[in-house]
Amino acid sequence: MKIPFRQLERHLADRLAKAYIVAGDEPLLVDEALEQLRAAAMRAGFTSRELHTAERTYRWTDLLAGADNLSLFATRKIVEIRLSAPKPGDEGSSTIAALCEREDPDTLLIVAVGAKLDSTASRSLWVKSVEEHGVIVEIWPIERNDLPRWIQQRAAAVKLKLTSAAAQSLAERVEGNLLAADQEIKRLALTAVGREVDEAEVLEFVAHNSRFDIFGLADAVLAGETGRVFKILSGLRAEGVHPVQISWVLNRDISLLARVEYAVRHGDSVDGVLMKNGVWRRRQPLVKQALNKFRAPRLRALLAEAARVDAALKGVFPAEPWTTLTDLLIALLRPPEGARAR
């Protein structure tokens, strides 16, 4: 069966299935769904947990061997498999399916996928097996119009009251990054629990928060402001900001530009495409400006480079993080033929 994330708590209060998939591209919500599952499993007597990160070199035979060699006194355990994409390969797919089909009440299988299940993945053996024997928890993004309300609800959970205007202002600053929103809510709660926070206080708070320099960096890249980009980058590095955080924002903007450029080239209006892609009003002029210098061939090359940088920063292959990130910024800032950098 399939259930949305909002129904998971009610489902777990009723029963615990033998297998779960938690899939979505919102890391905060995926992690929270996993925490709910682990807590429910602990209440049900699952006292140990095995974590398997299934990268390309992962040995699926080791997972099956471990399941076959339980001792007589083994405790009930969670077997948690982490996939970065819904493509475990033929061996992985058959292994997950085999684990689902076992009659083993002392093992709970959880497969966490850091991406949405597309139509191809939904038809695959391993997904069908979990759907037949367990539960698929689907994590959907928070829509642009729903984000301020989500922020207010999130704040209320930590006894922080945000006005509607304050929530709207914070939503515009984080631009869909739920992890950033959650962290800023928690930081605000340290000094403002039990009282109402208005828009002016939120704006003052984020103005003194270096985290938002990352978004300033992204805006400077779209504007082609080379000097400002590297000044901000130097400050972020000095403050200990992890390159992965910066890479996430750059990847987001490259993907956005590619989608918008493709749609406009095929006849859609730029304003309509920006609205459809949830681009906040204050950023729309920057995106339109950037579209003048980013054409399809360049965007394809940038998408490939951004994927390579992301893999390097996550340790898939060795690379110096800041040098790798700087190379991506240089590629983004390179002016079109005949133009000069600012």
Side-chain angles (χ1 to χ4, degrees):
M1 64 180 290
K2 292 181 180 180
I3 62 171
F5 176 39
R6 66 178 181 275
Q7 293 180 9
L8 179 59
E9 186 174 4
R10 184 171 62 190
H11 160 79
L12 292 174
D14 181 51
R15 67 185 182 91
L16 189 66
K18 64 183 291 187
Y20 290 87
I21 292 174
V22 178
D25 51 12
E26 290 288 359
L28 176 69
L29 302 184
V30 169
D31 284 347
E32 290 185 351
L34 293 172
E35 287 174 6
Q36 288 187 30
L37 282 170
R38 295 182 199 120
M42 185 172 292
R43 293 192 297 269
F46 290 86
T47 56
S48 65
R49 171 173 165 252
E50 288 182 6
L51 178 61
H52 303 265
T53 302
E55 302 291 353
R56 282 183 296 179
T57 58
Y58 181 70
R59 291 166 55 92
W60 290 96
T61 52
D62 292 345
L63 179 58
L64 281 179
D68 287 334
N69 292 317
L70 293 174
S71 73
L72 181 63
F73 305 103
T75 58
R76 306 187 83 189
K77 70 176 181 180
I78 302 168
V79 175
E80 186 173 322
I81 304 170
R82 291 290 187 110
L83 300 173
S84 59
K87 298 177 181 178
D90 292 342
E91 186 180 12
S93 183
S94 60
T95 299
I96 293 171
L99 289 172
C100 288
E101 292 165 5
R102 292 186 178 209
E103 294 298 330
D104 181 3
D106 295 325
T107 299
L108 172 65
L109 176 65
I110 301 175
V111 184
V113 187
K116 291 181 288 189
L117 298 178
D118 57 22
S119 57
T120 301
S122 298
R123 294 192 298 269
S124 62
L125 172 65
W126 68 282
V127 173
K128 287 292 187 183
S129 295
V130 174
E131 187 174 7
E132 179 182 353
H133 297 282
V135 175
I136 298 174
V137 183
E138 298 179 303
I139 307 292
W140 297 101
I142 304 298
E143 296 295 333
R144 178 179 183 272
N145 293 336
D146 294 332
L147 184 55
R149 183 177 59 183
W150 181 88
I151 286 174
Q152 282 187 301
Q153 293 172 344
R154 197 84 178 179
V158 293
K159 298 180 170 39
L160 176 68
K161 185 176 181 180
L162 297 179
T163 66
S164 297
Q168 178 70 31
S169 182
L170 185 54
E172 290 178 358
R173 284 352 182 240
V174 300
E175 296 176 347
N177 186 335
L178 300 189
L179 282 168
D182 183 62
Q183 290 177 10
E184 298 317 312
I185 289 167
K186 290 175 179 175
R187 284 165 56 89
L188 273 167
L190 292 175
T191 57
V193 161
R195 64 179 178 83
E196 187 173 75
V197 176
D198 61 16
E199 183 181 18
E201 187 170 350
V202 165
L203 289 173
E204 182 180 3
F205 178 80
V206 300
H208 291 89
N209 186 351
S210 64
R211 168 179 297 280
F212 287 88
D213 282 347
I214 297 177
F215 296 103
L217 175 72
D219 287 350
V221 169
L222 291 182
E225 297 174 342
T226 302
R228 182 170 167 236
V229 166
F230 288 106
K231 181 179 179 180
I232 295 174
L233 183 68
S234 178
L236 291 171
R237 184 173 184 177
E239 291 167 8
V241 174
H242 198 286
V244 169
Q245 294 177 275
I246 303 171
S247 174
W248 180 89
V249 174
L250 298 178
N251 270 273
R252 177 203 64 178
D253 280 356
I254 295 168
S255 297
L256 169 67
L257 288 169
R259 291 195 302 272
V260 174
E261 189 279 336
Y262 178 86
V264 171
R265 182 159 43 89
H266 285 78
D268 292 343
S269 73
V270 65
D271 290 332
V273 175
L274 292 176
M275 180 76 68
K276 183 178 179 180
N277 280 273
V279 179
W280 297 94
R281 186 171 300 172
R282 71 179 187 86
R283 291 198 89 218
Q284 289 183 8
L286 278 173
V287 176
K288 289 179 181 178
Q289 177 182 336
L291 284 171
N292 293 327
K293 61 179 179 180
F294 289 101
R295 294 292 181 259
R298 185 178 181 189
L299 285 168
R300 284 195 293 269
L302 284 169
L303 285 169
E305 176 67 6
R308 187 188 71 81
V309 169
D310 184 65
L313 294 179
K314 291 177 179 177
V316 176
F317 59 86
E320 201 290 312
W322 289 100
T323 300
T324 304
L325 187 63
T326 299
D327 288 343
L328 177 59
L329 284 168
I330 291 171
L332 278 162
L333 291 164
R334 187 174 296 119
E337 195 72 28
R340 290 189 304 173
R342 294 162 60 186

